[in-house]
Amino acid sequence: MLTDPTIRAEIKAAQVAGVPRWLHESRGRGAGALSLKISPAGRGSWYFRYSRDRKHQYVPIGSYGSEDGAFSLRAARAECTRLDALRSTVPGGDLRGHLVVAAAVEDAAHRQAVAEVASAPDRTLASLLGAYADALESRGKIDSATDVRRLVKLHVVDAFPAYAAAPAAEFTRRQAVEVLRRVVEAGKGRTAGKLRAYMRAAFAMALRAESDPAAPAKMLGFELETNPVADTAALPQFNRTRDRALSEAELRALWRRLNTTDTPSSIVIRLSLLLGGQRFNQLLRAKVSDFDADAQTLTLADPKGRRATPRAHVLPLPQAALQMLAARVIVAQDLASDHLFPAARGSSMTTTTVSKYLQPVRAAMVQAGEARDFTLADLRRTCETMLAALGISKDTRAQLQSHGLGGVQARHYDRYDYLAEKRAALTAWGGWLTRAPQPNVVLIERKRRAERGCA
């Protein structure tokens, strides 16, 4: 393994001898090598060396040093790892030929990404977790990225600044346990479990990035050998599954109270209920362009699970929901906003705003004896429970709420959009919720299955 003292000694030897010298750091059989050519003048140049047709091929990386544009030993190793991974994807393994014919814009983007790695002053724990949040955001997982940043700031950066500022490669299992124990002892076991999952995933992504050309460049160069968080005990005892679902009387009492006002928070709760219990964060992020008045549909972006890109979740709109969204379009146009539920600075409302609105409503319902206490998250579960009681099939409920659709069959083979089933179910559900004449939902489902040859 090369070291900076060894390189400095070889530079002096080359200057004294007046002849060039080569240094090589093997990366294992078949994996190429990191090579450094030292000129008689003492200048070092990095290369990635690999074999093709029993001949050594050299791909230049850059000069050795700490000045702008040069590559330190750490940065050269990171670039060598990236080139080796890229070579495995090139037909015939002709990396040099591939790089020669690569488009100039692609090469410029590559150099910029590598320069970011080379110029990074350190690769701290905080920067690792921040890069992980950025990676989630780039994949459309906005809520998860926001949650990561919030938990890391509160429970890592603010609580353990020395750990956060130290290199991620020096973070130990003992330190990870210390961070998590502090959260558990504060009575926040569920938060500790989420923080552990995020930190574990961040280290795993950085480890994988060394051999994955598709990984974000920001995840390179941390020089990790292990995942210290993976060695900590999981916290399943804090993963309590909520089972609170409002009764019919409680749900109708809530609906009556929501109908007394037309604030944006009241509207979005009613809209979520009318549409079968949609996730509030997805509804709030919906844009004017996602609403199709002619087709009477609303398309939400669902990034949940391990999807690389968000799933297009198309919802047919009952008449009441159609009227609500048409009114929201007018509001958005008046405010020159792209969002159906706009907030300040061009962003959309958040679930925090909606949850705060619901707090006094819940308190009033409890005080009046209309309901036991509940949370915003309980409404989605309530809708599915009620839909099941009305005879809506499990498959249709899954399509309505966009969950349980990540299997191989759903991803690759089932391209049917279930729009007719969803429209029939939401029409029936809306009629029940608003006490309109109630269709026979069971018969509707049986008829649909019969028409598709499933009866």
Side-chain angles (χ1 to χ4, degrees):
M1 295 291 290
L2 295 177
T3 65
D4 285 312
T6 300
I7 293 173
R8 287 194 291 269
E10 291 292 334
I11 288 174
K12 291 182 180 179
Q15 291 173 317
V16 170
V19 294
R21 300 174 74 91
W22 280 91
L23 303 178
H24 305 285
E25 181 177 272
S26 176
R27 303 173 58 80
R29 185 177 180 84
L34 174 63
S35 300
L36 180 66
K37 181 181 180 181
I38 303 174
S39 71
R43 290 188 294 271
S45 300
W46 292 112
Y47 293 86
F48 169 57
R49 188 186 75 179
Y50 67 97
S51 294
R52 184 170 183 266
D53 298 331
R54 298 185 178 182
K55 294 182 180 180
H56 286 319
Q57 305 289 332
Y58 290 85
V59 175
I61 294 176
S63 60
Y64 169 72
S66 57
E67 64 273 10
D68 290 344
F71 285 74
S72 65
L73 175 58
R74 175 183 62 80
R77 282 174 177 155
E79 174 62 353
C80 190
T81 297
R82 198 195 71 83
L83 289 172
D84 193 29
L86 179 61
R87 179 171 64 103
S88 66
T89 68
V90 175
D94 185 11
L95 180 61
R96 285 188 62 188
H98 171 77
L99 294 178
V100 168
V101 301
V105 62
E106 179 183 352
D107 185 61
H110 153 65
R111 290 298 173 186
Q112 181 179 357
V114 172
E116 291 178 0
V117 175
S119 63
D122 54 35
R123 307 303 281 172
T124 64
L125 175 62
S127 64
L128 169 64
L129 299 176
Y132 173 66
D134 292 342
L136 290 178
E137 188 169 6
S138 68
R139 296 176 182 179
K141 299 182 181 294
I142 309 297
D143 299 310
S144 295
T146 301
D147 202 30
V148 169
R149 295 189 181 102
R150 180 179 62 85
L151 293 183
V152 168
K153 171 114 179 21
L154 287 174
H155 303 298
V156 180
V157 175
D158 292 347
F160 295 90
Y163 294 169
E170 297 178 6
F171 192 60
T172 66
R173 179 184 63 177
R174 180 191 62 77
Q175 292 172 336
V177 170
E178 186 180 355
V179 170
L180 297 173
R181 179 178 288 118
R182 179 166 179 167
V183 183
V184 171
E185 290 178 347
K188 300 177 180 178
R190 172 60 181 151
T191 298
K194 291 173 65 177
L195 180 61
R196 178 187 180 274
Y198 289 144
M199 293 173 67
R200 184 178 186 273
F203 275 91
M205 182 179 287
L207 282 167
R208 189 172 62 251
E210 299 296 340
S211 59
D212 182 2
K218 288 184 178 181
M219 301 303 293
L220 290 169
F222 286 94
E223 298 184 348
L224 303 178
E225 297 293 335
T226 61
N227 186 338
V229 188
D231 294 332
T232 63
L235 302 169
Q237 67 271 33
F238 299 113
N239 293 333
R240 295 190 299 272
T241 302
R242 291 184 60 87
D243 57 4
R244 172 78 166 104
L246 280 66
S247 67
E248 178 180 343
E250 290 175 325
L251 181 59
R252 293 197 182 283
L254 173 62
W255 184 260
R256 287 194 299 271
R257 288 182 178 269
L258 293 173
N259 273 326
T260 62
T261 177
D262 278 332
T263 63
S265 292
S266 170
I267 292 172
V268 80
I269 296 175
R270 277 185 282 160
L271 188 61
S272 173
L273 293 174
L274 279 170
L275 297 180
Q278 298 307 311
R279 296 181 177 94
F280 286 98
N281 50 11
Q282 293 177 16
L283 268 180
L284 291 169
R285 283 202 302 267
K287 295 185 176 181
V288 173
S289 57
D290 297 325
F291 171 55
D292 188 333
D294 294 330
Q296 298 184 358
T297 60
L298 176 67
T299 301
L300 303 180
D302 182 7
K304 298 291 288 186
R306 298 184 179 182
R307 301 183 178 109
T309 56
R311 173 181 179 270
H313 178 35
V314 182
L315 291 162
L317 299 171
Q319 192 60 34
L322 189 64
Q323 292 172 356
M324 287 182 187
L325 287 171
R328 295 308 305 173
V329 169
I330 295 174
V331 172
Q333 291 173 343
D334 288 344
L335 297 175
S337 173
D338 294 332
H339 296 277
L340 288 168
F341 293 93
R345 298 182 297 277
S347 61
S348 62
M349 286 174 54
T350 66
T351 53
T352 301
T353 301
V354 181
S355 184
K356 287 181 178 179
Y357 162 82
L358 188 62
Q359 286 177 2
V361 177
R362 289 162 40 203
M365 291 179 65
V366 171
Q367 186 175 7
E370 296 174 347
R372 293 185 294 112
D373 198 17
F374 59 93
T375 69
L376 196 65
D378 294 331
L379 299 183
R380 179 174 166 83
R381 187 181 309 106
T382 298
C383 287
E384 177 157 17
T385 302
M386 296 294 182
L387 286 166
L390 288 176
I392 305 298
S393 71
K394 182 178 180 180
D395 288 344
T396 301
R397 298 198 310 269
Q399 292 292 333
L400 282 175
Q401 293 199 333
S402 187
H403 61 195
L405 305 177
V408 173
Q409 181 178 2
R411 286 200 306 269
H412 301 293
Y413 301 107
D414 191 351
R415 288 293 180 262
Y416 182 64
D417 60 13
Y418 293 88
L419 200 61
E421 286 81 358
K422 289 189 285 188
R423 190 177 296 279
L426 288 180
T427 299
W429 164 247
W432 179 89
L433 184 62
T434 59
R435 282 201 178 277
Q438 180 180 339
N440 189 325
V441 181
V442 176
L443 291 180
I444 289 175
E445 286 294 327
R446 288 177 179 169
K447 181 180 178 182
R448 292 290 179 189
R449 289 197 294 269
E451 290 174 350
R452 293 172 60 191
C454 300

